Amino acid sequence: MATGKIGITSENIFPVIKKFLYSEQEIFLRELVSNAVDATTKVKALARKGELKEDLGDLTVRVSIDKEKKTITVSDRGIGMSEEEVDKYINQIAFSSAGEFLEKYKDSIDAIIGHFGLGFYSAFMVSEKVEIVTKSWQSDKKAVRWTCDGSPEYSMEDSDKTDRGTDIILHLDADSSEYLEDSRIEELLKKYCLFLPVPIAFGKEKEWKEDKYVDTGKDKIINDTEPLWLKKPVDVKDEDYKAFYKKLYPSSFEDPLFNIHLNVDYPFNLTGILYFPKIRTNLEIQKNKIQLYCNQVFVTDSVEGIVPEFLTLLHGVLDSPDIPLNVSRSYLQSDSNVKKISNHITKKVADKLSDIFKTNREDLEKKWDDLKLFIQYGMLTNEKFYDSAKDFYLFKNTDGKSFTLEEYKNIIKDNQTDKNKTVIILYATNKEEQFSSIEAAKSKGYDVLVLDSAFDSHFINQLEQKNSDLRFMRVDSDTLDKLIRKDDAPKSSLTDSQKTDISAVFNSQTPKNTKMNFTVEFDTLSADDMPVIITQSEFMRRMKDMGKMGGPESSFYTNLPDNLNLVVNENHPLIKELVDDTFKKTADGTSSFDSELKTLKADLESLEKLTKDKKPEEISTEEKNKKEELQKKISDTENNRKKVFEDYAASNIKVKQLIDIALLANNMLKGEDLAKFVKRSVDFVGK
Ligand code: ADP
């Protein structure tokens, strides 16, 4: 029996590596089974070339547990190893590369997670002793048994193994007893080995006999050795794709919308099938479903860094030997192969959608609501995807018809171009809540889109940036004549000071709370339009909507109150009547203030004339005091005068009623205010 010392420097490297790789311990099984599969693939190649003379026999890789002995054994009928090979591949290479690996990554646990490259050595993460019993395919080589208890010492001796292949026997340590459970091993095999190219057997198929399950004589094969993505797309039927989806995501109960079968061999190697899932809301739970394989061995299901962010919403599998896996994620992002792969996938996804748009638009329209978020997300975050997707992105109007942006522009441009040659796209975010504004727009022959997704405010910002000839305006963000201004507004019949007075009347009756802030405005709408309309500036509202989605300005904008405009329609008969009545009823109350203000303002003016040419230091204290006193008197008098209008407003319930009707039309009258309105209306009807 030979003994020796493995060439790694640190004596206690094993406990270190165990602790280090704690969260990734389970990969030991993947490493051992894929080594077994590699050895099997190699022996098949030898047989093909005629170098192996004997019969290949049953090549199934077997995984078994011995609960008594506390061992797990992985057996294969691959090429096996001679004594020299064990020495070379295990004693020198495997161990030294593990040492290097540890040295390289000792500072960053994250970099290790999800990696390949620890290989055979990872067996020591769960074992106190590992044995290799192996016999080379070369018939003149003796079988060997190699044993190592985790210290750098190993022993090697002859073995009586007669058939070709390798058994790796792990004597599990006390901390790793979970791996003696059949269910745990089955779970790991299903996770990592589900699509390996050689059959993997674990236990026996069971059958129901005399009230219990009993083992049949048949091996239970864990894997599918010819996964669908390796087949030629022409040979695969739609049902096959659906069935494969079920296999990948057994707990999903919805069929995917479409799939893309990838098959590239130059300039990089990539196969796979990507599925578009239905995405209505919560993006987060949809993420990280793509499984990444390297030559059919499962590596990870977190593909950030490998595919663009928006594509992480897709489901399915990618298999590529060209993605470097034993590197950190930041390195991945700069790797040129990864970039090429990622661009390729983006292009394929866009091509697929564009193809459906061209050949089966009806289908795309039908599935649009489930795809829309994904496509918007892609357009917002990926320039290349935007460029292709803009031609098939579909907008829906309030009647449920779909259009591309180009089609829509052509339809509305005659009627909805304003005097600055900007095409105004009107939209609603909620058909119910903005019903009255939508109807008003339609009655003018305008069309209204429905933009109700969480990304829409960001999305229309992007569209406006890319198309300087269009503007999106929510249909209730201003009066229609102002939204699509075709000629200069007709002159107002009210003077500025009259407007100030009427503003005071309306302002005093607007709801007083911290969430809404009103500014009274005047507009010369038609007599058929509403007497009072509430609008909210497109800009502020969009900022707030975007704030809700997060981002740097988010809390600033979301904490602001809603700034609303109370637009008074000067041409409405009720308003005309109210304006006349206001000035008639307030004339007495305001006349004394008016003459007082006249005198005060004249005094202030002459004082200002007197001091106009003086330098600040030449103005006497007396003059300064006099000026301040006059200014204060003016402001007090103005306030008192304003109070006359406010008192009038309080005495005329029509003012409050008109405001409440406007609020009601916008779905903004709630709770106590609504109850009061109803009560007031009943009283009003009774009059
Ligand atoms: P890697 O598989 O990445 O080369 P490992 O540390 O897993 O690294 O294995 C080192 C070497 O040991 C392998 O390259 C192979 O030559 C040999 N080996 C490991 N397991 C087996 C096996 N089951 N049958 C034959 N050779 C094996």
Side-chain angles (χ1 to χ4, degrees):
M1 171 161 126
T3 55
K5 203 166 169 185
I6 291 155
I8 28 175
T9 44
S10 168
E11 294 266 332
N12 42 20
I13 201 159
F14 289 93
V16 176
I17 205 164
K18 264 185 202 176
K19 213 175 137 207
F20 217 25
L21 295 174
Y22 191 74
S23 60
E24 285 290 302
Q25 263 187 8
E26 60 178 43
I27 60 153
F28 78 92
L29 192 62
R30 172 186 76 185
E31 298 298 313
L32 298 181
V33 175
S34 44
N35 278 350
V37 167
D38 286 348
T40 310
T41 314
K42 283 179 192 155
V43 88
K44 277 202 230 170
L46 288 173
R48 234 179 293 123
K49 283 191 269 176
E51 288 180 39
L52 181 84
K53 298 286 180 272
E54 65 180 42
D55 186 23
L56 274 178
D58 174 10
L59 292 178
T60 306
V61 169
R62 291 171 195 283
V63 179
S64 56
I65 296 175
D66 187 326
K67 287 195 173 56
E68 303 278 286
K69 292 190 184 140
K70 298 192 171 42
T71 58
I72 300 180
T73 302
V74 178
S75 307
D76 66 65
R77 301 225 50 225
I79 50 172
M81 286 179 273
S82 63
E83 188 178 341
E84 304 83 68
E85 283 165 340
V86 173
D87 194 45
K88 185 169 165 203
Y89 296 132
I90 304 297
N91 294 341
Q92 291 167 30
I93 298 182
F95 276 67
S96 67
S97 68
E100 259 168 44
F101 181 89
L102 187 67
E103 189 55 37
K104 201 159 151 194
Y105 292 112
K106 68 174 171 226
D107 295 329
S108 56
I109 289 181
D110 282 352
I112 299 171
I113 307 301
H115 283 298
F116 255 21
L118 208 52
F120 167 74
Y121 189 87
S122 60
F124 288 99
M125 294 198 290
V126 294
S127 317
E128 55 186 26
K129 186 166 97 179
V130 178
E131 284 177 80
I132 304 175
V133 181
T134 182
K135 181 164 176 7
S136 166
W137 65 282
Q138 292 163 301
S139 45
D140 57 331
K141 304 284 184 193
K142 280 189 289 186
V144 285
R145 170 183 299 269
W146 174 96
T147 315
C148 178
D149 65 359
S151 73
E153 321 276 335
Y154 67 86
S155 68
M156 213 156 30
E157 61 192 341
D158 289 351
S159 148
D160 54 8
K161 184 172 169 61
T162 51
D163 51 354
R164 182 198 77 228
T166 306
D167 300 333
I168 307 285
I169 305 147
L170 310 186
H171 297 262
L172 294 179
D173 60 28
D175 291 346
S176 304
S177 53
E178 63 180 289
Y179 301 111
L180 291 174
E181 294 304 322
D182 290 356
S183 58
R184 179 77 173 122
I185 292 300
E186 188 163 335
E187 176 200 335
L188 293 182
L189 290 173
K190 289 219 161 114
K191 176 169 173 187
Y192 292 107
C193 307
L194 196 55
F195 300 111
L196 283 176
V198 173
I200 317 290
F202 178 62
K204 300 287 175 197
E205 293 288 359
K206 291 190 188 315
E207 68 178 358
W208 187 254
K209 230 179 194 173
E210 287 155 19
D211 294 347
K212 56 174 191 262
Y213 279 110
V214 291
D215 282 351
T216 61
K218 223 174 128 224
D219 286 334
K220 179 155 75 184
I221 302 296
I222 293 291
N223 55 333
D224 169 0
T225 54
E226 287 177 12
L228 200 66
W229 73 81
L230 295 178
K231 301 212 166 109
K232 284 206 203 89
V234 287
D235 298 335
V236 187
K237 291 201 256 335
D238 207 37
E239 307 89 90
D240 301 332
Y241 287 115
K242 284 189 179 144
F244 188 65
Y245 186 79
K246 279 264 137 62
K247 189 169 194 168
L248 291 174
Y249 311 104
S251 58
S252 78
F253 46 90
E254 275 192 297
D255 280 340
L257 299 169
F258 307 109
N259 63 267
I260 298 176
H261 197 145
L262 300 160
N263 198 339
V264 198
D265 48 22
Y266 183 83
F268 49 83
N269 225 298
L270 176 73
T271 49
I273 299 172
L274 292 176
Y275 293 95
F276 290 78
K278 287 188 180 175
I279 303 173
R280 290 254 174 168
T281 45
N282 205 338
L283 296 182
E284 286 314 312
I285 57 164
Q286 301 284 350
K287 278 189 184 171
N288 289 330
K289 290 279 182 75
I290 297 181
Q291 303 179 359
L292 186 64
Y293 288 78
C294 179
N295 292 325
Q296 294 169 251
V297 185
F298 175 84
V299 180
T300 175
D301 54 9
S302 80
V303 292
E304 315 103 80
I306 297 167
V307 300
E309 165 83 5
F310 79 103
L311 293 178
T312 61
L313 290 170
L314 295 180
H315 297 175
V317 291
L318 294 175
D319 187 351
S320 174
D322 291 335
I323 298 175
L325 296 160
N326 50 349
V327 295
S328 68
R329 297 221 168 262
S330 56
Y331 179 86
L332 269 184
Q333 285 164 353
S334 57
D335 182 82
S336 73
N337 252 341
V338 170
K339 271 201 192 122
K340 276 186 221 147
I341 290 177
S342 138
N343 287 341
H344 177 82
I345 298 174
T346 307
K347 185 171 174 321
K348 281 284 164 193
V349 169
D351 287 353
K352 176 79 187 192
L353 291 165
S354 162
D355 193 50
I356 302 169
F357 171 73
K358 285 181 196 136
T359 58
N360 195 354
R361 177 163 173 168
E362 212 180 307
D363 192 30
L364 189 68
E365 288 183 6
K366 217 167 62 204
K367 293 173 180 166
W368 189 255
D369 290 342
D370 295 315
L371 274 172
K372 184 171 135 177
L373 274 187
F374 166 78
I375 295 175
Q376 284 192 326
Y377 193 20
M379 290 173 81
L380 283 167
T381 54
N382 191 292
E383 211 47 40
K384 284 211 174 87
F385 188 72
Y386 175 91
D387 287 338
S388 343
K390 67 180 189 326
D391 298 329
F392 58 74
Y393 185 89
L394 295 175
F395 290 92
K396 260 192 201 161
N397 71 4
T398 50
D399 300 327
K401 286 208 191 87
S402 296
F403 315 87
T404 65
L405 188 59
E406 215 40 49
E407 291 165 350
Y408 193 65
K409 247 173 36 186
N410 283 331
I411 292 171
I412 63 164
K413 71 169 190 268
D414 288 341
N415 204 14
Q416 293 182 217
T417 302
D418 71 5
K419 61 178 180 150
N420 302 320
K421 304 214 164 31
T422 306
V423 177
I424 306 295
I425 297 182
L426 298 175
Y427 70 95
T429 51
N430 186 318
K431 263 177 27 175
E432 298 295 313
E433 285 176 12
Q434 291 138 29
F435 184 82
S436 53
S437 306
I438 297 171
E439 286 307 300
K442 281 188 176 170
S443 71
K444 279 201 171 327
Y446 296 155
D447 195 80
V448 182
L449 293 180
V450 179
L451 301 183
D452 55 4
S453 97
F455 289 144
D456 274 324
S457 41
H458 287 275
F459 186 59
I460 59 183
N461 266 1
Q462 184 185 38
L463 290 173
E464 285 174 349
Q465 271 163 25
K466 307 238 177 210
N467 303 274
S468 53
D469 60 333
L470 29 110
R471 287 279 294 149
F472 284 80
M473 291 289 192
R474 199 165 97 173
V475 65
D476 59 348
S477 60
D478 208 333
T479 55
L480 284 163
D481 291 343
K482 282 196 192 151
L483 285 176
I484 307 178
R485 181 132 264 171
K486 294 195 173 151
D487 39 41
D488 291 321
K491 280 255 166 309
S492 168
S493 57
L494 297 173
T495 65
D496 284 351
S497 90
Q498 282 176 320
K499 281 184 184 169
T500 312
D501 295 340
I502 301 296
S503 291
V505 169
F506 278 96
N507 225 338
S508 67
Q509 301 301 308
T510 54
K512 299 282 174 277
N513 66 44
T514 50
K515 289 200 202 89
M516 291 193 256
N517 222 342
F518 287 90
T519 310
V520 177
E521 286 188 357
F522 292 84
D523 203 347
T524 46
L525 302 169
S526 100
D528 302 334
D529 284 319
M530 292 279 285
V532 176
I533 296 171
I534 288 169
T535 65
Q536 184 180 13
S537 123
E538 174 73 20
F539 173 75
M540 282 305 287
R541 207 211 62 254
R542 230 192 260 181
M543 283 304 179
K544 283 193 93 165
D545 284 352
M546 292 200 284
K548 282 182 206 141
M549 296 278 306
E553 314 89 2
S554 65
S555 61
F556 174 71
Y557 284 107
T558 42
N559 289 336
L560 288 179
D562 278 334
N563 279 306
L564 301 166
N565 298 319
L566 191 89
V567 185
V568 176
N569 177 7
E570 291 174 29
N571 289 336
H572 196 280
L574 280 174
I575 298 296
K576 286 192 164 154
E577 194 190 301
L578 185 79
V579 170
D580 289 347
D581 192 60
T582 305
F583 291 118
K584 210 158 76 205
K585 298 265 171 66
T586 54
D588 283 350
T590 54
S591 64
S592 61
F593 294 125
D594 284 337
S595 51
E596 205 179 321
L597 275 171
K598 214 168 163 185
T599 327
L600 287 168
K601 281 183 180 165
D603 289 352
L604 182 66
E605 206 178 319
S606 44
L607 184 67
E608 270 170 350
K609 232 183 229 155
L610 210 72
T611 55
K612 189 170 65 138
D613 297 325
K614 290 187 184 173
K615 289 188 188 131
E617 62 270 22
E618 290 167 356
I619 302 172
S620 70
T621 328
E622 198 185 331
E623 283 167 330
K624 270 189 207 154
N625 289 344
K626 176 82 188 148
K627 192 174 167 186
E628 263 172 36
E629 192 188 327
L630 279 171
Q631 278 166 336
K632 184 167 181 315
K633 271 193 183 156
I634 290 173
S635 134
D636 287 349
T637 317
E638 274 173 345
N639 280 337
N640 289 334
R641 186 179 173 281
K642 191 170 163 196
K643 182 119 197 326
V644 176
F645 289 97
E646 290 171 353
D647 289 345
Y648 166 78
S651 73
N652 184 352
I653 69 160
K654 283 186 187 170
V655 180
K656 185 84 182 151
Q657 202 72 356
L658 286 171
I659 294 172
D660 281 357
I661 289 170
L663 287 167
L664 197 62
N666 282 278
N667 225 349
M668 290 176 179
L669 196 63
K670 306 261 157 81
E672 196 184 344
D673 291 335
L674 180 60
K676 281 187 184 159
F677 169 79
V678 172
K679 168 113 187 21
R680 215 181 312 123
S681 303
V682 173
D683 295 347
F684 203 55
V685 173
K687 268 189 191 157

